[in-house]
Amino acid sequence: MSASVLFDAPGPKARARNVIYSVIGSVVLLGLLGWAVYRLYNRGQFAGELWDIFNYAGIRQNILDALLSTLKVFALAGVLSLVFAVVLCVARLSDHKPVRWVALVFIDLFRSIPLLITIFALWVGILGDMTSMWALVLGLTIYNGCVQAEVLRAGVNAVPKGQVEAAYALGLRKTQVTVSILFPQAVRAMLPTIISQLVVTLKDTSLGFMILYPELLYSARLIANNTPVGGVYPTVQTVIVFGAIYIALCLALAWLAKFIERRGRRSKAGITPAAGAKELQEVAPSGSSDLTPAPGQGTGDVHKD
């Protein structure tokens, strides 16, 4: 029997119902899509001349400036959030209970507050005359740092306890264990999740629109609302162009994640476990039995006369 024990194969009636529901759902979705296209067509949104606005050098320069502003905020927020995540993760794993509780409260608090409220509060209230760029960067850093800290903590907790115990048995301190054993494996294990959160950080830069930071969404609004052609605003064209830019940026990050993951697997697979033994064989003379105990002789008695 090929059916899973957790899934009952549908009978003839169930299959017929599924087909009917699929057909009805498809018809409804196609109807809604057709209605939306018809409304946009009646408003002249598909007129070819609406694309002419992107031939102007000023419009293209505006888009380029907005793209650079978005990438600048993303780069700063991405790097700072990862650094902040490491600090919060270390605090969450601390042996001191007050430090753990402070980190826990901070993480839960800023993960619960909507990111837009945090950004707006930084811009208008908490830090006074802060520029919109740094309000956006700090807001993204705080929120995404809290999320990334929990991701790193999950990766650290996934490392087998035997490795940690072996490291302590060798005399390593907690800092050495964390830096050389726990974090490298945690980052490698959670790399897809870390990159996914960086994609969220990139998309959340669009919240700068609410505090007048000239990023991509802000530029899209200006173009769509201030450049009418024949009395028609190029809403559909602007959405397509800027949506394509966001999609390209996210796909580039996804490609980077796959590239780093492949490099990590290749470097890990390239380690030769017998390298140390080979060096010992080169040091020891040929035929020497100094490294091999005689039959019945323990490894601790090798150097005994």
Side-chain angles (χ1 to χ4, degrees):
M1 184 173 63
S2 60
S4 171
V5 295
L6 300 178
F7 174 74
D8 291 332
K13 292 183 179 180
R15 288 198 296 268
R17 282 198 306 270
N18 292 339
V19 171
I20 293 173
Y21 294 156
S22 300
V23 171
I24 293 175
S26 300
V27 170
V28 171
L29 289 177
L30 289 175
L32 292 174
L33 180 61
W35 176 78
V37 170
Y38 175 75
R39 290 292 302 273
L40 292 172
Y41 177 79
N42 280 343
R43 295 180 179 181
Q45 288 293 327
F46 297 131
E49 58 269 16
L50 293 178
W51 290 97
D52 293 341
I53 62 170
F54 297 105
N55 293 327
Y56 298 132
I59 295 293
R60 293 198 297 267
Q61 186 62 43
N62 186 280
I63 295 174
L64 179 60
D65 293 341
L67 175 61
L68 294 177
S69 297
T70 297
L71 292 177
K72 180 169 66 174
V73 168
F74 167 67
L76 290 172
V79 173
L80 292 177
S81 64
L82 291 176
V83 174
F84 192 44
V86 171
V87 175
L88 288 177
C89 180
V90 171
R92 285 283 280 120
L93 299 172
S94 174
D95 293 332
H96 305 285
K97 192 172 182 179
V99 176
R100 289 201 310 269
W101 275 102
V102 169
L104 175 62
V105 171
F106 185 90
I107 290 173
D108 288 344
L109 176 63
F110 283 99
R111 286 176 65 192
S112 303
I113 298 176
L115 176 56
L116 181 58
I117 294 178
T118 302
I119 294 172
F120 195 75
L122 289 170
W123 184 50
V124 300
I126 296 178
L127 297 180
D129 297 330
M130 176 176 290
T131 63
S132 58
M133 187 196 78
W134 283 109
L136 182 59
V137 168
L138 288 181
L140 292 172
T141 298
I142 292 172
Y143 174 77
N144 291 283
C146 292
V147 176
Q148 299 279 30
E150 289 299 281
V151 171
L152 288 176
R153 188 173 69 90
V156 168
N157 290 334
V159 177
K161 300 297 182 183
Q163 295 189 23
V164 179
E165 294 172 355
Y168 284 135
L170 291 174
L172 297 181
R173 297 188 298 272
K174 183 175 181 179
T175 302
Q176 294 173 312
V177 173
T178 302
V179 172
S180 60
I181 296 177
L182 294 178
F183 270 171
Q185 296 188 67
V187 171
R188 181 177 295 169
M190 305 306 292
L191 183 61
T193 308
I194 293 173
I195 298 294
S196 297
Q197 190 60 36
L198 287 176
V199 172
V200 174
T201 305
L202 173 62
K203 292 188 292 185
D204 283 345
T205 57
S206 61
L207 294 176
F209 156 76
M210 299 300 297
I211 59 173
L212 306 180
Y213 180 69
E215 42 75 48
L216 281 172
L217 184 59
Y218 185 83
S219 176
R221 180 175 178 269
L222 289 179
I223 293 173
N225 293 344
N226 296 291
T227 55
V229 178
V232 179
Y233 292 94
T235 304
V236 173
Q237 291 73 17
T238 303
V239 169
I240 291 175
V241 169
F242 283 86
I245 293 174
Y246 275 113
I247 291 173
L249 293 176
C250 293
L251 289 178
L253 274 179
W255 176 86
L256 177 62
K258 292 179 181 178
F259 174 76
I260 295 175
E261 191 174 0
R262 286 197 302 268
R263 287 294 300 269
R265 285 200 303 265
R266 187 157 59 243
S267 62
K268 185 178 180 181
I271 297 174
T272 305
K278 184 177 179 180
E279 292 176 0
L280 288 177
Q281 290 175 0
E282 293 175 354
V283 172
S286 176
S288 174
S289 60
D290 292 340
L291 299 177
T292 306
Q297 188 176 19
T299 55
D301 301 325
V302 173
H303 299 289
K304 290 183 179 181
D305 295 332

